[in-house]
Amino acid sequence: MTPEEQQLRILAPVKGNWFHSFEAMPGLWTAGHKSREVMEFELEHWRFPADLTGKTVLDIGCADGGFSVAALQRGARSVLAVDEQVTTGMRHFNAVRPYPEIEFRQVGLFSDAFMALPKFDFIIFAGVLYHVHDMLEALKRVRSKAAGTVMLETVYNQTLGAWPPAAIFYEKDEFHNDPTNWWAPNFACLEAMLRVAGFDFERTLPAGPETGLTEGRAAYLLTPSSEGLFGSITESATGSHSMLEEAHQLIDRLRAENAELKARLKS
């Protein structure tokens, strides 16, 4: 046993080192913030595919890799796990690499490195959307890497009503004492953004249109839509096609000047 394996065996059973509970090495389970029972519930009710044989998988915001391991155990050919930070658990898990088919990279969703990634057959996008400043841009970036299904999980909040589309913005740490929680959209807002980003979707949790709860967590299976409003990602802060607008204005001005010159020539 290597020193790294020994360290992993010491750390795995200690709570506080891990977010997910998963089999870090054969027969060795981590004591995660999410218990094994919670992980099993989520995998079932989010309808995490039972068979990923031969698929390439991207796990966005992977934390310590619990869902990456689940994908590999269900037959994935390879898994790229990305996160903008390296957790304590991932640092030790990645040092041992008991599952060589899982590659970890420290990559943020809004980085150039993310946009340089290829497309993947299956994408895990769980527990991330409400942590980003720009939810629509995040969904568009995920859409750009989707060759197949995306499993989305996020929070929702209906206290402003089911309609119109709306989202609650948290300025500080009002939501679960976490200053990185920014948004909680209602279903109308969340599903409108999915359509604009270019996804067809099926909500898997809560399963019905009437949840009975004003806030909670929702999961969706997304597929890229050929008829969506998805467009190229721009660098504009507003998302508008400002350069195109300037071009239109220039053309209109030149046409007006040309018409004025023609009128002068005739006179």
Side-chain angles (χ1 to χ4, degrees):
M1 186 181 299
T2 66
E4 290 80 9
E5 290 174 330
Q6 290 178 338
Q7 184 71 2
L8 184 58
R9 289 191 177 277
I10 293 171
L11 291 174
V14 180
K15 290 186 176 181
N17 290 323
W18 307 90
F19 183 70
H20 299 119
S21 295
F22 65 98
E23 196 172 20
M25 294 174 64
L28 178 66
W29 286 76
T30 61
H33 169 74
K34 284 189 177 185
S35 67
R36 292 173 66 169
E37 291 75 18
V38 169
M39 295 286 291
E40 290 172 1
F41 175 90
E42 292 177 343
L43 289 168
E44 177 184 355
H45 288 82
W46 297 354
R47 286 174 44 193
F48 197 99
D51 186 4
L52 289 170
T53 301
K55 303 292 187 182
T56 58
V57 175
L58 174 64
D59 186 358
I60 301 172
C62 63
D64 45 29
F67 292 117
S68 297
V69 172
L72 193 65
Q73 291 173 337
R74 297 177 184 218
R77 172 163 54 91
S78 63
V79 181
L80 177 59
V82 300
D83 205 312
E84 64 182 9
Q85 57 187 344
V86 185
T87 66
T88 300
M90 175 54 79
R91 186 176 297 109
H92 292 285
F93 179 58
N94 196 47
V96 177
R97 295 204 70 200
Y99 303 98
E101 299 87 351
I102 298 176
E103 177 189 359
F104 173 75
R105 295 185 199 172
Q106 189 174 1
V107 172
L109 177 59
F110 287 84
S111 67
D112 292 338
F114 181 87
M115 294 307 297
L117 296 176
K119 292 190 175 186
F120 293 81
D121 299 319
F122 180 64
I123 295 177
I124 305 163
F125 190 47
V128 177
L129 188 62
Y130 49 95
H131 289 299
V132 304
H133 287 183
D134 189 336
M135 291 188 290
L136 180 56
E137 178 73 2
L139 290 169
K140 289 167 66 176
R141 285 171 175 259
V142 174
R143 167 65 173 80
S144 72
K145 301 306 170 188
T149 304
V150 176
M151 190 195 72
L152 166 70
E153 187 272 343
T154 188
V155 300
Y156 70 89
N157 191 312
Q158 300 274 84
T159 56
L160 297 178
W163 189 264
I168 294 175
F169 178 74
Y170 301 104
E171 180 184 359
K172 297 179 181 177
D173 59 353
E174 303 94 317
F175 185 37
H176 291 180
N177 296 315
D178 186 344
T180 71
N181 290 334
W182 296 104
W183 296 102
N186 63 10
F187 287 121
C189 179
L190 179 56
E191 293 173 4
M193 288 191 294
L194 291 175
R195 286 188 290 270
V196 171
F199 285 114
D200 292 326
F201 54 85
E202 176 188 1
R203 191 195 306 161
T204 60
L205 179 77
E210 299 297 332
T211 68
L213 297 173
T214 57
E215 60 182 308
R217 305 190 76 90
Y220 291 80
L221 289 179
L222 317 177
T223 53
S225 169
S226 59
E227 298 179 358
L229 299 177
F230 173 75
S232 60
I233 299 170
T234 68
E235 294 181 357
S236 167
T238 62
S240 64
H241 295 282
S242 56
M243 294 179 66
L244 183 60
E245 288 297 321
E246 289 180 6
H248 284 316
Q249 291 173 12
L250 176 60
I251 291 171
D252 290 341
R253 186 167 65 251
L254 290 175
R255 283 175 176 168
E257 292 175 356
N258 188 45
E260 183 180 353
L261 287 173
K262 286 182 177 180
R264 287 181 179 179
L265 288 173
K266 285 183 179 180
S267 63

